[in-house]
Amino acid sequence: MLRIDISQWFRKFEMPGHALAALSAYPELACTKEPFEPATKWGVFDDVFCPKEETFKFLENVLDEVIALFPSQYIHIGGDECPKTRWKECAHCQELIKKNKLKDEHGLQSYFIREIEKYVNSKGRKIIGWDEILEGGLAPNAAVMSWTGIKGGVEAAKSGHFAVMTPGSYCYFDHYQGDPQTEPNAFGGFTPLDKVYSYNPIPEELNAEQAKYILGVQANLWTEYILDFKQVQYMIFPRLMALSEVGWGTSDPKHYKEFEGRVINQFKVLDKMGVNYAKSIYNVTGKVIPGSNGVAYELSTSQNPTGIRYTLDGTDPVSSSHVYQNPIPISKSMTIKSAYFENDELKSAVSSQQFTTSKTTGKNITLEQQPSENYSFGGAFTLVDGIIGNQKQLGKTWLGFQGKDVVATIDLGQKTQFSEIYFNTLENKGSWIHLAKSATISISEDGKNFKTIKEIGKEEIQNAKGKMNLNIGNQNSKYIKIKIENAGIIPGGNPGADSKAWLFVDEIGAL
């Protein structure tokens, strides 16, 4: 049973990446001689600590202060999101790679972490870092905090290293927890209460002996979009209650409704304490499911479902609006608004969902490669659910792929005439999200032999700002395949240079 308060185990600062603030004060610790300025917005920047003698001396002095302040067994040294651009261009770094017979810059990252680990160990402490410290080989006594998924934790446990599980898809509380239209601005992603509660921190890949190396779980709330402490409380509660039960080993997704009832009872306690918790649990939530003729919209609430009212004409619901009973068929483009009422009084925010239907809506779709855990809500069906993602909100309507192409095959069920294909991609270079490099449209009658009917390149995608609407001539086919090519490795001069680019894709439609 996982019953560990990880917050008492370690204290953290960052190295070798996320060092721009330190380099602004101590530019001599960088690989270049340029003046630096602290970042004023989120980003992953090329300028990182240079692994030279004066850098290690500086970090050792900082570690001395941290170790003196905190009697924790573990010291968190960061280790994540370290672009290798400057190291590739640095004569000292390249000489260090040759001198120590390192394979490449990833090996240099491992060298950096090992040097820090030696110093921390000499003080009677151990290091823990984000799962990127696995790059080039894990330091001998290091523990891993697995955030990019579960792979880092699995790799650490299988090699006899301790790990804390904190994957973004379940444990990042800077994601939306309800309908993005009714929630404060968030970083992106969609991690509602029930998803947090469903998390099992012991990966299936581990046997009983390996599972002993999983120390516990941690929630993360990064504050780029947080205005004050009240919003901190809003993003944490009640999701922290769900993760607590996950950590205690008492969560049971099959009995989520029972847990939901306990949460609502605890709201009385939070009210007395003056905690500004999220009330998203009261709001009506919608889920798109396959329908008999396209898709259907299933509404639910933590309260009595007979209190749900909805409209189909875009107006806000009132107590006399349609009473929700069964999933609402979506056979044409429309806007559904819904809310929860008690005794004719509005008790929730009004949720709104716009549907844009096409000949692909609700059809069977398969993907050759799956999206990242953090941005996989709804799976492949998200691409044909009739909901076009908001380009300003990642929320729950986009699929995100890091370093992977999107290759989707849609089965229309029968030969169908169409002359237009549309799809959407995003660009947010500060978050490593780049527009696609190219796209190819193919058709087939048997799902095996495909004929290419349209190819577009990077320039066309950039000119359309990722919102593609392609005329493909009159076609009559049963299958549509679309390949959307990832931008690949992020080029120098961009945040995250040398890392794999993200490709975000939404609705693939045919008209």
Side-chain angles (χ1 to χ4, degrees), residues 108-417:
L108 186 57
Q109 165 130 341
S110 179
Y111 168 84
F112 194 114
I113 299 300
R114 287 170 187 265
E115 289 297 301
I116 293 298
E117 183 186 45
K118 290 176 188 176
Y119 188 77
V120 172
N121 289 168
S122 75
K123 300 295 181 177
R125 308 296 181 89
K126 301 176 182 178
I127 68 166
I128 187 169
W130 301 112
D131 48 46
E132 286 96 331
I133 69 171
L134 289 159
E135 292 179 8
L138 191 58
N141 301 307
V144 169
M145 184 164 283
S146 192
W147 75 277
T148 58
I150 67 170
K151 183 180 177 182
V154 170
E155 186 175 337
K158 284 186 175 181
S159 60
H161 290 262
F162 288 110
V164 176
M165 304 305 289
T166 177
S169 52
Y170 293 94
C171 299
Y172 269 44
F173 290 0
D174 53 345
H175 292 177
Y176 287 100
Q177 57 190 311
D179 185 348
Q181 297 178 70
T182 62
E183 292 288 315
N185 193 28
F187 187 80
F190 184 62
T191 310
L193 187 67
D194 59 334
K195 186 172 184 180
V196 177
Y197 192 70
S198 71
Y199 181 49
N200 180 1
I202 306 296
E204 293 180 356
E205 296 94 322
L206 302 182
N207 59 38
E209 185 61 31
Q210 293 165 341
K212 294 177 182 178
Y213 288 97
I214 303 299
L215 291 175
V217 292
Q218 175 179 280
N220 294 314
L221 177 61
W222 312 112
T223 55
E224 289 90 350
Y225 293 86
I226 303 297
L227 301 177
D228 52 32
F229 186 64
K230 282 190 171 294
Q231 192 173 348
V232 169
Q233 294 176 325
Y234 185 92
M235 301 301 283
I236 290 175
F237 292 103
R239 288 187 285 192
L240 194 58
M241 298 177 183
L243 195 63
S244 295
E245 291 210 7
V246 168
W248 296 332
T250 59
S251 61
D252 185 351
K254 295 192 298 292
H255 297 128
Y256 170 73
K257 281 296 180 183
E258 179 185 320
F259 165 75
E260 199 174 58
R262 296 200 306 275
V263 167
I264 291 172
N265 286 336
Q266 288 298 311
F267 285 169
K268 300 171 186 176
V269 177
L270 296 180
D271 285 334
K272 289 181 180 179
M273 296 172 64
V275 174
N276 181 44
Y277 57 91
K279 300 179 179 64
S280 314
I281 195 171
Y282 290 118
N283 292 344
V284 176
T285 59
K287 179 182 180 182
V288 183
I289 60 175
S292 57
N293 185 26
V295 296
Y297 198 44
E298 184 177 66
L299 301 178
S300 62
T301 176
S302 60
Q303 306 302 295
N304 187 339
T306 61
I308 297 176
R309 301 291 184 268
Y310 70 93
T311 63
L312 303 176
D313 59 3
T315 61
D316 287 351
V318 295
S319 60
S320 59
S321 297
H322 297 296
V323 178
Y324 179 76
Q325 294 177 315
N326 298 301
I328 305 163
I330 309 296
S331 57
K332 61 179 182 179
S333 298
M334 64 174 66
T335 297
I336 297 178
K337 290 191 174 184
S338 57
Y340 175 73
F341 288 80
E342 275 185 7
N343 300 319
D344 295 333
E345 182 181 352
L346 179 64
K347 289 289 186 178
S348 73
V350 174
S351 297
S352 178
Q353 185 58 67
Q354 182 176 351
F355 287 89
T356 303
T357 60
S358 80
K359 294 179 180 180
T360 64
T361 304
K363 302 303 183 185
N364 183 53
I365 179 171
T366 57
L367 290 172
E368 289 188 8
Q369 300 190 82
Q370 298 308 306
S372 163
E373 276 187 274
N374 292 0
Y375 302 101
S376 60
F377 189 84
F381 191 68
T382 297
L383 301 179
V384 291
D385 63 1
I387 298 175
I388 294 178
N390 185 333
Q391 292 201 341
K392 295 181 180 180
Q393 297 174 330
L394 300 186
K396 60 180 182 179
T397 59
W398 296 86
L399 297 186
F401 302 77
Q402 187 174 26
K404 299 178 182 177
D405 299 334
V406 173
V407 183
T409 301
I410 303 169
D411 182 355
L412 299 174
Q414 59 184 11
K415 291 187 70 173
T416 304
Q417 292 186 343

